Structure formats: C-alpha cells, structure tokens
Amino acid sequence: MQYQHLIEPKKVLKGNVAILFANDEKMLSVVVEALSLTDIDVYLYDTQDPTEIIRSFDIEVQRLNRIHILTFENEHKLFQQCSRDLSTGKVTLLMKGNVTSSTVLSFVMSNKHFIDYNGFLNHVACFDIPNYHKTLMLSDIAFNISPTIEEKKHIINNLSKFAMLLGYEKFKIGLLSSVDKPIKKIQSSMDSEKLKQIYSRNESEFLFVDGPLALDNAISMQNVIKKNIKSSVAGDADALLVSHIDVGNALFNSFTYFGEARVASLVLGAKFPIVLTSRSDSKQNKLDSLLLALKMLN
C-alpha cells in the first residue's frame, strides 16, 4: 500500500482527540491544520493555558469552537480527568504533545482497562521512503526493548490486525537479523527461524512471515534475484520486525534523516489509537500520525 493511501481519508474523519500538553507552536499548528482537514473536536489537557498561543493563529470561530481547553492545577488531576474521559468515551484518541514518551506510556500502562484484550502494546512507524516502492512499517522502536518470541508473536498479531483495518489484501512481515539463516550465536536469527516455523504452520492467505532476513534482502528484490532467495516476503516486505529497540531506533533515524522519509507513528494494542510522536518530529509527521490514527476510528 502506498503511503498516501494510508493517510488520505476516503471520507471526512471524525472523533474526539485528547492531546496531552499541546502548549507549543508546532503542536498547536498541527491542531489547526487537523481542524481544517477533518471534523474532529480537540481536547487540550494541560497545566498551563495555551489560549494566547491559539489566538496567534487567527482561527475562524467555527473551528475555534471545536477546541476545548482543560487546564489543571497539577499533572495528577490532569491525568485523572483524561483517564475518566477516555474510559467513558468522551475522547476516543490519545495524542502526545510537549511531554516525554515515558510519561504518556506510564499513564497508559497504569490504566489496565485501556489495554485491548490481548494485553500487549507495541509501537509501529509507517514510512514513506523515496527509494522504496510502498509503505514500510517498522516495529518496535519505542516501547518493547528486547521482545521474547512470545512477545514478538503479539507484535506480529497487532501489526496484522492493524494492516487489515487499513485495507491491506496481503501483509508481509520480514524478521530482521544480520544473517539469512539461523546461527546459534545470533539470537535474533534463532528467534526468527522459530517464528517463521510457527507462522508457516498456520496457513494464511493474508499474513506472510519470513526470516531471518538481513535488511538488504528484506527490501531489495534485486538482491533476492541475485542471491536466488526463495521467499514470499524477501524484497517486498510491508513491515520489518526488529529484535531490539536499539536496532529499531537506529533504523528509524536512518530512514528519516538519511532517507528523508515521511513517517506516521502509533502505539497499537490499546482500546483507542495512541499517537506517540517525538517532540523533535516535524509538523508533517505529527499531522500524518494523527490522520492515520483517525482512520482507525472511521
């Protein structure tokens, strides 16, 4: 699937969006742009009043009425109210603003009823890389540090459900390692081989899982042909699953800084979409992430 199909809505997007600490110009510019592109209402949870910054955008009254400012005397009361609003469905999407990822994730994890039935969260980044022929997803770069085989199964299942929701007809996951065959001294290769065997036994016309695959063989069909690799995933991966957060973080930054990729990032596995972008992310990447999350609701 092409990246534009991922973020461009087929209909007008709706929803009530909770944003934690949207108190800087970049984050509020995302809010203003999202209001012009969708029919959402935005609820700003903060300990300081962002009204003055909002006024600087000179927003027309009709859109301004869709911004709801909730100011609290401390973070404890802020998170209490946001928890209630998410639980009752007053807000249906959670987005990180000018606050650390660890703070948002701690908030989510401290509310066990937020978690979906399988009880597992993972981060996914969806990239538009100029030199790749379609969207490339990457997990896990911001949540799970060194997932076990069982945890990787949860990640694969979350990614598969996410892809189905987005309208994929087939979904191919490459299990990354530094080698293309299992080697006892390289744990990622051994885990990948076991996962491949597990998913090969469960025949599916939708989900294809293969590994271990080195990065070049996962994404380059030219390499696959040259090396005569027999795989339904190699050279055409829709998603890459990394063995450790260090690998995911390095690839994320390589794709965005060197590859000049656009990216939309979410946390999967909760009962509502969670937009978890970095404070250093561009306005476009933050907006793309919000639009992608809204597509999960509509």
Side-chain angles (χ1 to χ4, degrees):
M1 183 175 290
Q2 297 303 313
Y3 186 82
Q4 285 303 120
H5 296 157
L6 225 61
I7 61 169
E8 285 182 355
K10 294 180 180 178
K11 57 182 179 180
V12 176
L13 297 175
K14 299 179 181 180
N16 292 337
V17 179
I19 306 181
L20 300 174
F21 303 97
N23 52 33
D24 65 300
E25 190 173 335
K26 184 195 290 185
M27 192 66 239
L28 287 170
S29 68
V30 172
V31 170
V32 173
E33 185 71 16
L35 289 170
S36 70
L37 295 173
T38 69
D39 281 349
I40 63 171
D41 274 57
V42 178
Y43 293 75
L44 307 181
Y45 296 76
D46 214 316
T47 53
Q48 51 184 296
D49 191 344
T51 300
E52 287 303 314
I53 308 176
I54 292 171
R55 282 177 181 163
S56 69
F57 286 96
D58 194 25
I59 309 168
E60 63 181 58
V61 174
Q62 188 176 9
R63 289 176 187 165
L64 194 60
N65 289 337
R66 288 156 53 202
I67 301 176
H68 311 277
I69 299 172
L70 296 90
T71 309
F72 303 87
E73 62 184 55
N74 57 56
E75 289 189 9
H76 177 69
K77 290 185 178 181
L78 181 156
F79 286 117
Q80 271 190 333
Q81 186 60 54
C82 189
S83 175
R84 283 194 290 268
D85 292 347
L86 284 164
S87 299
T88 59
K90 179 179 178 179
V91 290
T92 51
L93 188 157
L94 180 64
M95 185 172 188
K96 169 183 174 292
N98 189 23
V99 63
T100 64
S101 295
S102 59
T103 299
V104 176
L105 292 173
S106 294
F107 166 59
V108 173
M109 294 302 292
S110 66
N111 289 270
K112 298 299 182 185
H113 58 284
F114 286 172
I115 314 302
D116 206 353
Y117 68 92
N118 67 7
F120 195 85
L121 300 179
N122 72 282
H123 184 276
V124 61
C126 305
F127 294 93
D128 180 23
I129 303 172
N131 291 330
Y132 197 59
H133 59 283
K134 58 181 175 180
T135 299
L136 184 65
M137 298 186 194
L138 181 67
S139 185
D140 197 319
I141 68 161
F143 193 75
N144 298 291
I145 295 171
S146 183
T148 64
I149 288 178
E150 195 60 33
E151 289 170 337
K152 287 176 182 175
K153 284 169 62 179
H154 283 303
I155 293 173
I156 290 169
N157 293 339
N158 279 354
L159 290 174
S160 179
K161 290 174 188 173
F162 178 54
M164 282 186 179
L165 199 59
L166 293 173
Y168 277 77
E169 294 181 358
K170 291 184 179 181
F171 192 63
K172 302 177 181 182
I173 300 178
L175 309 173
L176 281 194
S177 184
S178 55
V179 292
D180 296 302
K181 61 181 179 180
I183 297 175
K184 287 184 179 180
K185 290 184 178 181
I186 303 177
Q187 189 59 48
S188 61
S189 72
M190 299 300 292
D191 287 359
S192 296
E193 178 68 17
K194 289 177 183 176
L195 285 165
K196 179 177 74 171
Q197 296 302 327
I198 290 168
Y199 284 91
S200 65
R201 290 195 296 268
N202 301 324
E203 290 187 12
S204 171
E205 294 183 0
F206 175 76
L207 179 63
F208 301 86
V209 179
D210 197 11
L213 289 170
L215 176 63
D216 55 343
N217 296 330
I219 61 174
S220 172
M221 189 57 71
Q222 187 176 5
N223 270 27
V224 171
I225 294 169
K226 281 183 179 179
K227 296 179 181 180
N228 196 29
I229 297 173
K230 304 299 181 185
S231 169
S232 58
V233 174
D236 192 40
D238 292 298
L240 302 175
L241 194 155
V242 302
S243 59
H244 195 279
I245 196 170
D246 287 346
V247 179
N249 184 268
L251 281 177
F252 181 97
N253 288 308
S254 296
F255 291 163
T256 52
Y257 285 97
F258 293 130
E260 299 182 344
R262 279 175 65 175
V263 60
S265 301
L266 301 177
V267 171
L268 306 178
K271 292 179 179 177
F272 46 82
I274 301 172
V275 179
L276 195 76
T277 53
S278 169
R279 282 173 288 177
S280 63
D281 276 344
S282 69
K283 173 188 171 181
Q284 187 65 60
N285 289 347
K286 290 176 184 290
L287 180 62
D288 287 357
S289 300
L290 177 55
L291 293 175
L292 177 59
L294 286 167
K295 284 194 73 173
M296 296 179 67
L297 295 176
N298 288 262

